[in-house]
Amino acid sequence: GENVEQHPSTLSVQEGDSAVIKCTYSDSASNYFPWYKQELGKGPQLIIDIRSNVGEKKDQRIAVTLNKTAKHFSLHITETQPEDSAVYFCAASKARAGGTSYGKLTFGQGTILTVHP
Amino acid sequence: DSGVTQTPKHLITATGQRVTLRCSPRSGDLSVYWYQQSLDQGLQFLIQYYNGEERAKGNILERFSAQQFPDLHSELNLSSLELGDSALYFCASTTSGEETQYFGPGTRLLVL
């Protein structure tokens, strides 16, 4: 089955700096890669996602890049703010046979991001 | 707010007991996924239902079962509870044909 590795496990930055989190996946059939942010006591919240037919996607201060050949994808947060502090998870999934629905998300182990004011 | 609701928010019970966790998906979403989050295992997929039918199974113990009702809400039943079942349980839902999963706020289960 799919295996997703995420690094680093903790990341500490100063406000205004950039943060980069990296993930690798094992199943070349995976074609959907979301990133979730989880704050204390809350459920994971989707912040950005990318599909395998796209190499990069950006949404304001957040960007994700995908390298299908190397089977890795990364989250980039620029101009970090204290409210960016949370646990970030990468995940991978693939469409089920027949394309009627997507299957399970396989998550990385998470990165605890701390942004110091 | 994702639109996915889960009850109860917290649950404290004893070993050997049985509990039921409830999930209401976003309006119109036919797929429901259940995940377990623990410190040692991370976020792990348990089971998926689509329009009342089981679609996929992950690392779900035989002591656990789930179902999805005609109104599309889902319940996760955990029986013969052990200390190691203490975790956060999340459900997520998706619109048919879409891949984005929207997560509920979770149920925190503590087995004493």
Side-chain angles (χ1 to χ4, degrees):
Chain A
E2 175 67 280
N3 183 51
V4 177
E5 297 286 335
Q6 181 173 347
H7 298 280
S9 56
T10 61
L11 182 58
S12 184
V13 299
Q14 290 296 125
E15 183 176 2
D17 287 350
S18 294
V20 180
I21 303 170
K22 298 183 178 182
C23 288
T24 59
Y25 61 99
S26 61
D27 188 348
S28 56
S30 289
N31 54 10
Y32 174 65
F33 308 93
W35 286 88
Y36 285 87
K37 174 184 181 182
Q38 187 176 20
E39 297 175 316
L40 202 59
K42 297 185 177 181
Q45 177 189 8
L46 180 75
I47 55 172
I48 195 166
D49 56 13
I50 192 166
R51 291 158 185 81
S52 59
N53 58 347
V54 176
E56 185 174 356
K57 182 177 179 180
K58 189 173 181 181
D59 183 4
Q60 299 184 335
R61 298 186 296 110
I62 296 174
V64 57
T65 58
L66 171 65
N67 183 327
K68 283 191 298 181
T69 304
K71 289 190 282 188
H72 69 69
F73 55 114
S74 301
L75 177 72
H76 305 252
I77 305 174
T78 59
E79 301 171 24
T80 54
Q81 301 165 3
E83 49 266 38
D84 293 330
S85 297
V87 182
Y88 290 80
F89 292 94
C90 62
S93 76
K94 58 187 175 185
R96 293 180 59 84
T100 55
S101 70
Y102 277 73
K104 65 175 183 178
L105 289 172
T106 300
F107 284 89
Q109 288 300 99
T111 296
I112 302 172
L113 173 64
T114 304
V115 181
H116 299 281
Chain B
D1 184 2
S2 67
V4 179
T5 60
Q6 290 186 250
T7 56
K9 192 170 178 61
H10 302 278
L11 202 47
I12 302 175
T13 189
T15 54
Q17 294 298 304
R18 173 190 170 94
V19 297
T20 298
L21 313 183
R22 182 187 171 107
C23 167
S24 293
R26 295 185 320 153
S27 177
D29 284 0
L30 300 179
S31 268
V32 170
Y33 304 76
W34 286 96
Y35 293 86
Q36 180 193 59
Q37 185 176 36
S38 61
L39 281 174
D40 55 343
Q41 296 292 324
L43 266 164
Q44 298 259 318
F45 168 73
L46 296 177
I47 197 164
Q48 177 198 2
Y49 276 82
Y50 178 83
N51 202 20
E53 294 186 1
E54 183 184 302
R55 269 295 175 93
K57 263 187 175 179
N59 300 320
I60 188 166
L61 301 170
E62 287 190 9
R63 301 183 284 108
F64 296 1
S65 65
Q67 53 185 327
Q68 186 178 28
F69 294 86
D71 67 352
L72 301 177
H73 90 271
S74 179
E75 293 181 355
L76 180 67
N77 301 296
L78 316 176
S79 62
S80 303
L81 285 167
E82 301 175 359
L83 295 178
D85 297 327
S86 296
L88 274 164
Y89 292 84
F90 291 103
C91 78
S93 72
T94 61
T95 301
S96 180
E98 296 291 327
E99 59 271 80
T100 303
Q101 293 189 23
Y102 296 91
F103 281 76
T107 292
R108 183 176 294 276
L109 174 65
L110 180 59
V111 182
L112 300 175

